Each structure stands twice: as structure tokens, then as C-alpha cells.
Amino acid sequence: MLELKTLAPPEAAGLDVRMGLLSRPKTIPATYFYDDQGSQLFEQICNLPEYYPTRTEAAILATLAPSLPSLTGADTLIELGSGSSTKTRLLLDAYTQAGPTHYVPIDVSRGILQQSAQALLTTYANLRVTGLVGDYIAALQQLPPAQRRLVLFLGSTLGNLGATECSDFLAMIRLALTRGDYFLLGIDLHKDQSILEAAYNDSAGVTAAFNRNILMHLNTRFGCTFQPEQFEHWAFYNSTMQQIEMHLRSRRNHVVDLGSLEAQIELRAGETIRTEISRKFDLTTFTPLLADQGLPVRRTWQDERGWFAVLLCQAV
Ligand code: AVJ
């Protein structure tokens, strides 16, 4: 059984873009990468030889999946930013074998949500799917009832949030849960700078296309007049902040009209718009932060190289 619910977009839709583009340095929230086109480009990124996070995390999930149903006893799996749900299948294999399961994928892209939910239903007979189209904040405020929940936040998407936003976000997750519920979190770890930078500068240019697509999305969504070919993809590791940064660098001086956002912005040649931060975590410093937010870590899994970690936390 499949049900798709579209959550009301936040009233402030677009204000975050307007604010970011009128600040110095200019920024665009990374959530705007994921229109239908951007979600498809991200799927391609996950298969690139340089982009190690997806396959590293998938290998960890395959190892831990058989033990997860008995560890958590969860009947409902809620996934934040489910995308194609490819990695989730590793967990659904184990859960649906253990008993009937309710899967609640949450994604801003309706296209990818519908497609992946349909495909899951043909694979799993005793799966019930309730897709929520919208942002995490709206979705977390209206989770369906459950006996025991397991919230999945995979792929190191948490890395898109700065330190303060990250703590606030974890607090919000804790509030959406009942004591005893679980939270499974995938995070990318520190490693050699050259490996990190290669992952965001692939030789096929898919990450560059993904980066520029954010401008196309703003054009269609708000009637902005960005010309993506006027911008260069720039991604590097900021070792002080311990984060990858992705920017779009203007090739020349020009003015962009922001359409329904009712503003115009000037870009100088060489000026950049930061489109993403992707923080790289350290388990020793990060694990205590989860406990501080009422989500202590019960188990930690890593790959042999220590490149990526999956943490099982429990709401207390
Ligand atoms: C989905 C946010 C985890 O930061 O690695 C991939 C997005 N950006 N390549 C990441 C992304 C450029 C990805 N996250």
C-alpha cells in the first residue's frame, strides 16, 4: 500500500534564498540542489569512482542490517532525504523478513519519491509505504503513529549543517521521537585531503553539473535570471573548518535578477556563491554531542579504513 502526502511548503519559501544571496559572502542553501534533475544528478554522483561515501556506507549497512531488527525492535522506518532508497533496501531486506514494516520516506523531490516507493512495493510484499513530500522540519512534526521508530539519516547529509544548526537539528529529531526510539546516522569522517577533494571534483564533471543545476532550479522556481555557464564549479577542503566547500565562481561582472524574490544582485568577476558545506567528522568529538542532545550512541560501525561511520543512537 502506497500513500503520498504533500506537506505544505513553509510560508517562508524562498526567503532563505533571498537572504543568502543578499549576504556577504553570498550563499544558497544546499537543500535547493534537490529538484528532480538535481536528485538524478546526485544519484549519478553516488556511482562515481571518486565519490567513496555512498559505497562505503552501503558496505557498512550490509554488515549491520541483519542485527538491526532485533537490536531495535522497530516496526516503523522513517528516512530523512530518502532519494532513491537504494541503501535503504539493505535495511528493508532484514526488517521485512522479521515482520510487517511501515516505511516512511521523506524527500523534497516528489518525482524520485514516487518512483522509488513504487519500486519498493514490487519488491517487498509486507511493506506499507507512506511518502512525505516536503522538508524535514514539516515532516518531523507530523510523523505517523508507531510502536517503535527507527529514524534513518544516511549519507552524511548532517554534514551540510554548520555546528549550531547541527545541534538544533539533533534537538529537533529528539523532540520528534518518543523515549526508546532509535536514530541511525551515517557520517563521513576525516581523511586525507586529496581523497576528500577528488570526491567533489570528479573527472566526469557530474559534480560540476550538480552544482550549476542549483541555479537552474532557482530560475524555474523563482524566475531568477542566472546563466549557469557564467559560473565555474569550485570545491576544496577547508582544513580549518574541517569541511568541504562547494562554490560557484562568477566568470565576469554581471547582474542577476531574482524574479519573484524581488531583488537584483551584482556579481564581480571571480566572486563566489557558496552552495554547500560538507563537514567531515571526528568520532571522539562528535559522539558526546549526540548524548548532549538526548540521543546517546548505543553502537558504532565503521569500514576497515575508518572513512565512514554509522551510529545507532537511542532517544532517552
Ligand atoms: C548528500 C550532502 C552528503 O556532501 O557529500 C555530493 C552532497 N555534494 N557531492 C555530500 C554532495 C557534492 C553530499 N551530501
Side-chain angles (χ1 to χ4, degrees), residues 34 42 45 51 155-157 160 200 207 210 246 276 278:
Y34 304 96
F42 182 65
I45 289 178
Y51 195 74
S156 203
T157 304
N160 279 171
Y200 295 82
T207 309
F210 174 74
M246 289 217 309
E276 182 171 53
S278 185

Side-chain angles (χ1 to χ4, degrees), residues 268-285:
R268 288 173 285 104
E271 183 180 352
T272 75
I273 304 174
R274 196 188 67 206
T275 50
E276 182 171 53
I277 64 165
S278 185
R279 292 166 69 211
K280 303 304 163 186
F281 296 91
D282 177 86
L283 284 178
T284 341
T285 52

Side-chain angles (χ1 to χ4, degrees), residues 201-270:
N201 289 286
D202 65 280
S203 55
V206 183
T207 309
F210 174 74
N211 199 3
R212 283 194 197 95
N213 179 69
I214 204 169
L215 301 179
M216 317 268 251
H217 183 199
L218 298 190
N219 287 351
T220 43
R221 180 109 168 237
F222 304 112
C224 304
T225 61
F226 284 106
Q227 295 172 271
E229 62 287 354
Q230 291 302 333
F231 294 85
E232 236 167 41
H233 168 69
W234 181 41
F236 68 99
Y237 188 61
N238 178 334
S239 54
T240 314
M241 297 300 291
Q242 305 190 317
Q243 63 193 21
I244 285 282
E245 292 186 13
M246 289 217 309
H247 295 247
L248 288 162
R249 188 193 279 120
S250 175
R251 297 184 198 276
R252 56 176 179 86
N253 294 327
H254 70 295
V255 174
V256 175
D257 189 280
L258 300 188
S260 65
L261 301 177
E262 300 188 337
Q264 294 211 328
I265 56 166
E266 267 182 55
L267 285 138
R268 288 173 285 104

Side-chain angles (χ1 to χ4, degrees), residues 25-290:
K26 296 181 172 65
T27 59
I28 299 172
T31 46
Y32 287 90
F33 279 128
Y34 304 96
D35 61 349
D36 288 344
Q37 176 66 20
S39 296
Q40 279 177 26
L41 286 165
F42 182 65
E43 289 302 312
Q44 288 181 42
I45 289 178
C46 293
N47 293 317
L48 293 169
E50 296 95 338
Y51 195 74
Y52 63 85
T54 311
R55 72 181 71 85
T56 309
E57 184 180 42
I60 301 170
L61 291 173
T63 320
L64 66 85
S67 62
L68 210 54
S70 59
L71 261 177
T72 63
D75 61 321
T76 302
L77 269 54
I78 299 156
E79 181 163 21
L80 305 173
S82 49
S84 68
S85 300
T86 309
K87 286 175 290 187
T88 322
R89 282 177 177 260
L90 298 163
L91 304 179
L92 290 174
D93 287 343
Y95 274 95
T96 52
Q97 263 175 48
T101 309
H102 188 189
Y103 176 53
V104 185
I106 300 166
D107 207 283
V108 283
S109 164
R110 186 183 186 88
I112 199 154
L113 195 60
Q114 171 134 30
Q115 212 183 339
S116 61
Q118 291 288 3
L120 289 174
L121 288 172
T122 61
T123 312
Y124 304 101
N126 60 351
L127 188 68
R128 189 178 137 212
V129 181
T130 307
L132 302 179
V133 184
D135 63 63
Y136 304 154
I137 300 177
L140 284 170
Q141 284 164 355
Q142 45 200 110
L143 293 182
Q147 296 269 316
R148 175 64 82 229
R149 299 186 182 96
L150 171 65
V151 171
L152 309 171
F153 196 33
L154 304 175
S156 203
T157 304
L158 188 72
N160 279 171
L161 306 180
T164 314
E165 284 174 296
C166 177
S167 303
D168 292 351
F169 185 78
L170 293 173
M172 188 178 67
I173 300 271
R174 173 61 194 89
L175 266 179
L177 298 180
T178 304
R179 183 171 306 163
D181 284 347
Y182 288 92
F183 177 50
L184 191 73
L185 176 66
I187 52 170
D188 198 9
L189 305 174
H190 283 150
K191 59 186 65 61
D192 198 274
Q193 180 154 353
S194 61
I195 298 166
L196 289 171
E197 289 187 338
Y200 295 82
N201 289 286
D202 65 280
S203 55
V206 183
T207 309
F210 174 74
N211 199 3
R212 283 194 197 95
N213 179 69
I214 204 169
L215 301 179
M216 317 268 251
H217 183 199
L218 298 190
N219 287 351
T220 43
R221 180 109 168 237
F222 304 112
C224 304
T225 61
F226 284 106
Q227 295 172 271
E229 62 287 354
Q230 291 302 333
F231 294 85
E232 236 167 41
H233 168 69
W234 181 41
F236 68 99
Y237 188 61
N238 178 334
S239 54
T240 314
M241 297 300 291
Q242 305 190 317
Q243 63 193 21
I244 285 282
E245 292 186 13
M246 289 217 309
H247 295 247
L248 288 162
R249 188 193 279 120
S250 175
R251 297 184 198 276
R252 56 176 179 86
N253 294 327
H254 70 295
V255 174
V256 175
D257 189 280
L258 300 188
S260 65
L261 301 177
E262 300 188 337
Q264 294 211 328
I265 56 166
E266 267 182 55
L267 285 138
R268 288 173 285 104
E271 183 180 352
T272 75
I273 304 174
R274 196 188 67 206
T275 50
E276 182 171 53
I277 64 165
S278 185
R279 292 166 69 211
K280 303 304 163 186
F281 296 91
D282 177 86
L283 284 178
T284 341
T285 52
F286 185 64
T287 305
L289 298 184
L290 286 158

